[in-house]
Amino acid sequence: MIIQHNLLSSYTSRQLKINNSSKAKSSERLSSGYRINRASDDAASLTISEKMRSQIRGLDQAADNIQNGLSAVQTADGALHEVHAVLHRMNELFVTAANDTYSDTDREQIESEYKGLRKEINRITQDTEIFFDNTLTVGNFPDDISIYKANDGSYAGIIYQDVRYSWDQIKTSDGNHSLADTEILSESYFLNTVGGQKLEFPMSKGDVLPSISKHYDLEANAAGITIDDVAHSWSEVKDEDGNTIDFNHLKNGLYSFEHFGSIIEFAADEDDDKEDIIKKLNKGNQEIKGWESKLDGFAQTKAVYNLTRLQTSVPINDANKSLDLKINADTSGIRINNNTTVPWSSLDFAPPFYNSANQGLDFDSGQGLGADTTVTFQCPDTGIGFQFQIQAEASIDAVIKGLNNITIPVSANAPVESTIALSSNPATKVFDNAAVSFTSINYTTQRDDFNLDFSGSTSVYANSMNDFKISCSGIDYEITPASSNNLLNFFKNGSAPSIGLTFYNSSKGSIGINFTKLDNQTDAARPAQSTPSTPAEQTALNTYVDNLVAQFKDQFSASSFSIRSQGASLNIDSFGVNTMGMGNTADVPSFGVKPEPETPWHIQAGTNSDDKIDLSFGKLSANKLNLNGIDLSNNNSSGQAISIVNKAIQTISNERSKLGAYQNRLEYALQLVDNVSENTQSAESKLRDTDMSKEMVQYSKSKILNDMANSVLSNANQNSKMILQLLQ
């Protein structure tokens, strides 16, 4: 038995400390619910757990981000739903205005409502800031450039300000490449115009002509706004009500002006002044570096149209002595039938070329064809002339096809003078006067039947009562049966002072002659009974009539007849609207405004830097939908407005379809993030959370051991007292 070192007590005390520590840890785990409360509990698991916790919190925030994105998309879709409704109403108005049952006043009221709806579209897009661009927007269809075809039908170049330029004139800045090259480069090409301008055409590798884009530069200053060296004064800038901009009384809203068909629009605030507007426009220009047009496609139209005559008639000569006159065209020029060809380079045209020349249509250089051209043709042989218009984009091949074999609608006109000189022999004289009442002698369709100063050999015959005739140039005009019968009745009755007789040829027409009776009072030899009642009276009347007929035959046969034409001319009728030949087509290009690159919204949808969902919202306004400057004053322009609003409806439909796809994607992304967060939380729980039942077993064990250690320690400490008992 020793007293200096109570080893039993020391051992028990050490175990008691271990048990107390184990019990304390179990108590901590049980009270906190966590298996790991400090790094020493499980250093490796703690590292993994904290990383998971970071991911979980990041995923929870990503879920909030996605939910915010969903809200933005739903807001945008709601706004576009209202824009759709406005456009449908616009479409109703445009269809109504296209109906010609409405008066000009009715159309003015329709246009007033359209303008109000246009303002509402702008208000919706401005209030829905997702769609609003407060710098500069460009809408409608630019028409400053066009594209023309070569003679072989290929697209040969552009038309700018009524001048044609071939592809090889549009070159890179170093001049080493042109658009005529086999391969187009990804850079800008430039054109120096005859007016001293320098145009830029941004191209991309792989572009195929005629798909081109044109760049526009804008600069604002105190005098106005200049685009590509074309100046617009501030007086051209209008507000949404059509009033000229007033810098002293600016109001919140949109202002716009037109540049070659495009509508340039910008927003102003009531606190702005002129300098603010200038800075805003120039700043916008620096940000977007102008804008670009793009080729949308081609519409087919007539290469040659409005064919009209220059004269209503021309004198007949040997060159036009035909009713079958046709226009013949080829690469050498234009002619009528086989007469003299007038070269294309000798034709008159308007408007004149940029150098003020008004003659010399040249398809190769494009001279005279930069704009829709009115061409005047005059045949030097026939005297016949006509005008026609050529579409600016037309090729000579299409023009030739349009003109070739067109029949000129003509008819001959030959005024005919006819006279008859009755025999004056008193023995045979029945009539004392006769005059040709002119007639329908048909020389208008039988040109070869007369000469320019026609006078034919003529004679008159009276072989029998039914064989009175006039012979003219070998053509017989015989008395009609009705006239023969009328003549007999005339002689029987004797009361009428004159009679008209008609001589007829089935192919040439008729001649009418009025005869005046010699004595239109009484005739002593005529029987008193013009209507005989006895055979004797009938015989007397027949004898009297036969005698007059015989006298008339003698007088008529001894008479002379003449017919001649003077001032023969060729009448030229109007050309029909569908006169042009097959292949009379030209492709007129349509340009739109090239959409600006959109800056997407990035939705952080995960815990990694590249876990992003991009949402692109197109900048929308009435101008971007090409709804500015619509004219509803007539049927034609209202019909065009219907096409415009249908395209606008399709644009909004496409945008809403895109928004619907975004919404579906975001909803799936939200479900994924929630699922990943939940699974990560579960994994982190397995690492960090305490197993309560298992820990209770450990706690109970530690508690029992602790109690036992306390009891043993107490007993061990009692051993010292046993030594004292030995000393008693």
Side-chain angles (χ1 to χ4, degrees):
M1 182 177 292
I2 59 177
I3 192 171
Q4 289 294 340
H5 295 89
N6 191 347
L7 296 177
L8 177 60
S9 177
S10 297
Y11 176 79
T12 303
S13 175
R14 181 175 62 81
Q15 290 297 327
L16 180 60
K17 290 178 182 179
I18 294 172
N19 292 336
N20 279 334
S21 175
S22 177
K23 179 183 177 184
K25 288 183 178 181
S26 293
S27 297
E28 187 177 30
R29 290 169 180 163
L30 290 171
S31 59
S32 67
Y34 290 115
R35 184 179 70 85
I36 302 172
N37 290 288
R38 58 183 58 82
S40 61
D41 290 341
D42 190 340
S45 295
L46 177 66
T47 301
I48 298 172
S49 173
E50 290 300 331
K51 182 178 179 181
M52 286 183 172
R53 282 191 172 187
S54 175
Q55 289 180 331
I56 291 166
R57 294 184 65 174
L59 289 170
D60 290 344
Q61 184 58 53
D64 290 341
N65 293 347
I66 294 171
Q67 190 61 60
N68 291 337
L70 274 170
S71 298
V73 171
Q74 289 166 350
T75 300
D77 185 48
L80 294 187
H81 173 77
E82 297 307 317
V83 173
H84 248 156
V86 173
L87 291 175
H88 289 316
R89 175 56 183 162
M90 271 192 181
N91 186 54
E92 291 177 358
L93 293 176
F94 296 166
V95 172
T96 301
N99 192 354
D100 278 338
T101 59
Y102 292 93
S103 66
D104 292 342
T105 302
D106 296 332
R107 286 194 169 109
E108 287 176 3
Q109 298 303 316
I110 292 172
E111 188 162 349
S112 177
E113 183 179 350
Y114 143 70
K115 289 179 179 178
L117 294 174
R118 187 181 65 193
K119 284 185 180 180
E120 180 59 17
I121 290 176
N122 286 332
R123 189 195 66 79
I124 292 172
T125 56
Q126 289 181 48
D127 289 351
T128 311
E129 296 181 0
I130 295 172
F131 300 115
F132 185 56
D133 185 347
N134 63 359
T135 54
L136 195 73
T137 62
V138 184
N140 279 37
F141 310 100
D143 56 12
D144 56 333
I145 62 173
S146 189
I147 296 171
Y148 70 94
K149 280 188 174 182
N151 297 344
D152 61 3
S154 63
Y155 295 104
I158 72 162
I159 302 170
Y160 180 74
Q161 293 188 354
D162 301 343
V163 181
R164 286 186 171 191
Y165 301 94
S166 60
W167 297 128
D168 58 7
Q169 293 177 270
I170 307 175
K171 300 180 179 181
T172 55
S173 57
D174 58 12
N176 294 329
H177 302 277
S178 75
L179 289 181
D181 294 345
T182 304
E183 184 176 355
I184 294 176
L185 306 177
S186 293
E187 58 180 279
S188 289
Y189 289 71
F190 298 90
L191 170 67
N192 294 314
T193 71
V194 294
Q197 295 169 290
K198 188 173 185 178
L199 307 182
E200 179 182 355
F201 299 88
M203 304 297 290
S204 299
K205 187 173 183 178
D207 283 346
V208 178
L209 296 176
S211 181
I212 62 171
S213 297
K214 179 180 176 295
H215 179 79
Y216 299 81
D217 280 318
L218 179 147
E219 181 181 357
N221 53 43
I225 303 170
T226 300
I227 301 174
D228 287 346
D229 298 330
V230 178
H232 299 274
S233 67
W234 288 111
S235 62
E236 298 178 47
V237 180
K238 310 293 182 182
D239 64 16
E240 292 180 271
D241 296 320
N243 302 315
T244 301
I245 189 170
D246 183 356
F247 289 106
N248 296 320
H249 300 91
L250 284 174
K251 54 187 178 181
N252 294 328
L254 299 173
Y255 291 82
S256 62
F257 64 96
E258 183 178 350
H259 176 77
F260 289 113
S262 294
I263 303 297
I264 317 302
E265 188 175 64
F266 59 89
D269 299 323
E270 60 184 5
D271 297 330
D272 287 339
D273 58 19
K274 192 172 187 178
E275 290 300 319
D276 293 328
I277 296 299
I278 292 173
K279 289 178 181 178
K280 182 182 294 186
L281 288 174
N282 287 335
K283 180 181 178 182
N285 182 45
Q286 292 169 8
E287 288 178 350
I288 65 174
K289 296 184 179 179
W291 69 93
E292 296 175 9
S293 64
K294 66 182 180 66
L295 179 65
D296 283 342
F298 290 90
Q300 203 168 75
T301 188
K302 294 180 179 179
V304 182
Y305 60 101
N306 285 353
L307 181 64
T308 57
R309 61 186 176 179
L310 292 182
Q311 308 93 357
T312 57
S313 66
V314 294
I316 291 178
N317 58 31
D318 288 336
N320 60 33
K321 186 182 175 182
S322 172
L323 296 181
D324 185 20
L325 299 175
K326 290 185 177 181
I327 300 173
N328 293 319
D330 54 32
T331 54
S332 65
I334 304 175
R335 61 186 175 276
I336 294 178
N337 285 5
N338 293 319
N339 292 297
T340 301
T341 298
V342 179
W344 293 105
S345 58
S346 299
L347 295 173
D348 290 340
F349 64 91
F353 196 42
Y354 70 91
N355 61 4
S356 298
N358 60 4
Q359 192 177 61
L361 191 61
D362 187 340
F363 279 87
D364 293 330
S365 68
Q367 182 168 314
L369 278 178
D372 285 7
T373 303
T374 300
V375 181
T376 301
F377 168 84
Q378 186 74 48
C379 178
D381 303 322
T382 65
I384 297 174
F386 52 84
Q387 284 185 335
F388 56 91
Q389 287 181 272
I390 299 178
Q391 193 74 30
E393 296 80 5
S395 66
I396 189 172
D397 180 64
V399 173
I400 290 172
K401 288 179 178 178
L403 290 175
N404 233 352
N405 292 318
I406 293 177
T407 298
I408 301 174
V410 295
S411 59
N413 180 32
V416 178
E417 294 181 355
S418 301
T419 58
I420 183 168
L422 292 176
S423 171
S424 59
N425 184 348
T428 60
K429 193 172 181 182
V430 177
F431 296 100
D432 67 355
N433 190 24
V436 178
S437 58
F438 201 146
T439 71
S440 57
I441 298 178
N442 186 5
Y443 284 113
T444 59
T445 58
Q446 299 294 331
R447 172 63 190 86
D448 291 336
D449 287 345
F450 60 89
N451 300 312
L452 297 182
D453 57 350
F454 167 77
S455 61
S457 58
T458 60
S459 57
V460 292
Y461 301 91
N463 297 324
S464 67
M465 188 64 210
N466 296 322
D467 192 19
F468 291 119
K469 65 182 178 180
I470 298 172
S471 179
C472 177
S473 297
I475 299 172
D476 291 339
Y477 295 83
E478 298 180 355
I479 193 169
T480 64
S483 291
S484 179
N485 187 58
N486 290 341
L487 183 62
L488 289 175
N489 290 332
F490 175 80
F491 287 145
K492 285 180 182 180
N493 296 327
S495 59
S498 63
I499 185 173
L501 302 181
T502 300
F503 298 84
Y504 178 75
N505 180 282
S506 61
S507 63
K508 300 300 181 182
S510 59
I511 300 173
I513 304 177
N514 289 323
F515 293 90
T516 303
K517 192 169 139 182
L518 181 64
D519 181 0
N520 62 6
Q521 300 297 322
T522 60
D523 185 350
R526 185 180 66 81
Q529 299 82 6
S530 59
T531 305
S533 57
T534 65
E537 293 176 349
Q538 182 67 54
T539 300
L541 182 60
N542 290 343
T543 301
Y544 171 77
V545 170
D546 289 344
N547 183 51
L548 287 178
V549 168
Q551 292 182 50
F552 176 60
K553 286 166 54 180
D554 291 341
Q555 185 181 15
F556 187 70
S557 298
S559 300
S560 63
F561 180 84
S562 67
I563 181 171
R564 70 189 308 272
S565 66
Q566 290 184 337
S569 62
L570 203 63
N571 294 332
I572 305 170
D573 299 325
S574 297
F575 290 94
V577 293
N578 296 317
T579 303
M580 304 304 175
M582 298 295 291
N584 177 38
T585 58
D587 292 336
V588 178
S590 171
F591 283 83
V593 177
K594 189 174 183 179
E596 301 160 13
E598 298 174 352
T599 302
W601 288 20
H602 300 299
I603 303 298
Q604 188 63 41
T607 57
N608 297 321
S609 60
D610 57 351
D611 288 341
K612 290 183 174 66
I613 296 176
D614 291 341
L615 307 180
S616 295
F617 299 98
K619 301 301 181 184
L620 296 175
S621 66
N623 189 36
K624 290 231 170 183
L625 293 172
N626 301 322
L627 296 174
N628 283 354
I630 287 178
D631 178 19
L632 300 178
S633 62
N634 57 68
N635 171 279
N636 185 52
S637 60
S638 297
Q640 294 173 353
I642 295 173
S643 299
I644 292 173
V645 77
N646 284 336
K647 288 183 179 178
I649 290 172
Q650 186 60 51
T651 298
I652 299 300
S653 297
N654 293 342
E655 191 67 25
R656 292 189 68 187
S657 177
K658 183 174 68 175
L659 293 178
Y662 285 160
Q663 185 170 343
N664 290 336
R665 182 182 178 187
L666 289 173
E667 286 176 351
Y668 285 123
L670 180 60
Q671 293 175 16
L672 174 63
V673 167
D674 288 342
N675 185 272
V676 172
S677 176
E678 179 182 343
N679 291 332
T680 305
Q681 184 70 65
S682 175
E684 196 267 344
S685 174
K686 289 181 172 61
L687 287 174
R688 196 148 191 167
D689 290 352
T690 188
D691 184 341
M692 298 299 286
S693 60
K694 182 178 179 181
E695 200 60 46
M696 278 301 299
V697 171
Q698 183 63 34
Y699 177 80
S700 298
K701 172 185 174 183
S702 297
K703 185 175 181 302
I704 293 171
L705 290 175
N706 190 57
D707 291 343
M708 291 297 295
N710 279 327
S711 176
V712 171
L713 181 61
S714 175
N715 291 333
N717 289 335
Q718 292 297 321
N719 290 338
S720 305
K721 294 179 180 181
M722 294 178 63
I723 296 173
L724 292 176
Q725 290 177 359
L726 292 174
L727 297 176
Q728 291 178 355

